[in-house]
């Protein structure tokens, strides 16, 4: 994560870093220091550990139970952050760090407070394969364009003998 203040993350090592190096990124330099990006090989290992499908769009319908769907308002960051505040509350017993995936090859570990404050630096309106995974839980959030889905992974049951 070394570099100049405008390009804190190495885009050659972490292709998703452009999001955080962009001039319109809402995260402060201190916030960015708390986001841990993983390279492609590390990201693939994490994806395979936490997400039971190779692609959210093609493999998710049979392995995901949706509890809530909402439309994110990217023009109203504060309003939409209330959804995340409610769903990612400490009272829900969730951890303070989340795994965020932009497909199978890009992942980050993100603190709860940073994610909620600038959720739109992590989810984009054009996303189709971005997921927020809560460690120690089957709960997951993923987006498709401006729609956000909250629910949980449902593991397939083994066939009876």
């Amino acid at each position: 994560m070394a570099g100049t203040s405008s390009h804190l993350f190495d885009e050659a090592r972490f292709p998703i870093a452009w999001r955080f190096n962009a001039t319109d990124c809402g995260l402060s330099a201190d916030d960015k220091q708390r986001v841990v990006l993983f390279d492609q090989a590390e990201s693939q290992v994490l994806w395979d550990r936490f997400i039971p499908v190779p692609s959210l769009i093609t493999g998710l319908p049979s392995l995901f139970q949706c509890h809530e769907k909402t439309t994110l308002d990217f023009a109203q960051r504060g309003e939409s952050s209330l959804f995340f505040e409610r769903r990612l509350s400490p009272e829900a017993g969730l951890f303070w760090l989340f795994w965020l995936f932009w497909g199978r090859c890009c992942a980050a570990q993100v603190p709860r407070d940073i994610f909620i404050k600038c959720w739109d630096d992590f989810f984009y309106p054009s996303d189709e394969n971005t997921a927020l995974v809560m460690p120690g839980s089957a709960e997951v959030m993923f987006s498709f364009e401006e729609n956000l889905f909250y629910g949980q992974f449902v593991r397939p049951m083994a066939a009876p003998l």
Side-chain angles (χ1 to χ4, degrees):
M1 293 189 332
T4 65
S5 59
S6 63
H7 286 91
L8 184 63
F9 295 104
D10 179 358
E11 293 180 26
R13 182 169 178 208
F14 309 110
I16 201 67
W18 65 269
R19 290 182 180 222
F20 305 106
N21 292 336
T23 57
D24 64 348
C25 179
L27 297 172
S28 69
D30 288 341
D31 289 344
K32 291 177 187 181
Q33 295 271 352
R34 295 177 55 210
V35 173
V36 179
L37 296 179
F38 294 91
D39 66 24
Q40 181 175 343
E42 294 165 329
S43 296
Q44 289 174 347
V45 168
L46 290 168
W47 176 281
D48 292 343
R49 178 177 172 196
F50 291 110
I51 300 180
V53 294
S55 169
L56 291 177
I57 298 305
T58 59
L60 203 56
S62 63
L63 297 175
F64 179 75
Q65 180 181 14
C66 185
H67 298 306
E68 187 173 351
K69 175 187 170 187
T70 190
T71 301
L72 297 174
D73 187 345
F74 284 85
Q76 299 291 323
R77 175 189 283 175
E79 240 177 75
S80 287
S81 71
L82 296 176
F83 173 83
F84 296 109
E85 282 270 348
R86 183 172 41 89
R87 284 295 180 191
L88 303 174
S89 72
E91 293 79 34
L94 298 175
F95 292 89
W96 292 97
L97 294 171
F98 303 113
W99 296 106
L100 193 72
F101 296 91
W102 298 274
R104 191 169 177 259
C105 298
C106 296
Q109 189 176 52
V110 181
R112 176 189 176 273
D113 61 319
I114 291 173
F115 174 79
I116 290 173
K117 178 171 55 173
C118 292
W119 62 268
D120 56 345
D121 283 319
F122 299 98
F123 284 108
Y124 273 26
S126 60
D127 285 344
E128 295 181 354
N129 217 16
T130 300
L132 180 73
V133 177
M134 295 92 188
S137 169
E139 292 180 80
V140 64
M141 290 182 185
F142 71 93
S143 66
F144 181 77
E145 297 175 350
E146 294 181 14
N147 295 306
L148 186 85
F149 301 88
Y150 169 79
Q152 66 186 51
F153 289 126
V154 178
R155 306 288 181 194
M157 295 180 62
L161 297 175

